[in-house]
Amino acid sequence: MGLSSIGVPGLIVILIIVLIVFGPKKLPEIGSAIGKTFTEFKKSTKGLMEDENESKKEKLTDDKKEI
């Protein structure tokens, strides 16, 4: 059972519960914080992928020099 089995009615119920718990005034702040978190996560993963690609290129270059 994963997130794909929640469905639209489940999401609506979750959103209603979040609205009740946090209130309408806090929701924009929470949304902004979540958006910033995802943006930072995306930047970090992109940086890791670029570092990995650079290390692979360096290894290939080193291997060619040895031959």
Side-chain angles (χ1 to χ4, degrees), residues 3-54:
L3 285 176
S4 62
S5 64
I6 291 176
V8 175
L11 288 175
I12 292 172
V13 170
I14 291 171
L15 289 174
I16 290 171
I17 291 171
V18 168
L19 182 62
I20 291 170
V21 171
F22 293 109
K25 292 182 180 179
K26 285 283 187 180
L27 286 182
E29 294 174 20
I30 294 170
S32 176
I34 290 172
K36 289 177 183 177
T37 301
F38 281 134
T39 302
E40 187 64 32
F41 179 75
K42 189 174 180 180
K43 286 180 185 178
S44 298
T45 54
K46 186 177 180 182
L48 289 173
M49 294 298 289
E50 288 175 355
D51 290 344
E52 185 177 330
N53 288 339
E54 287 177 11

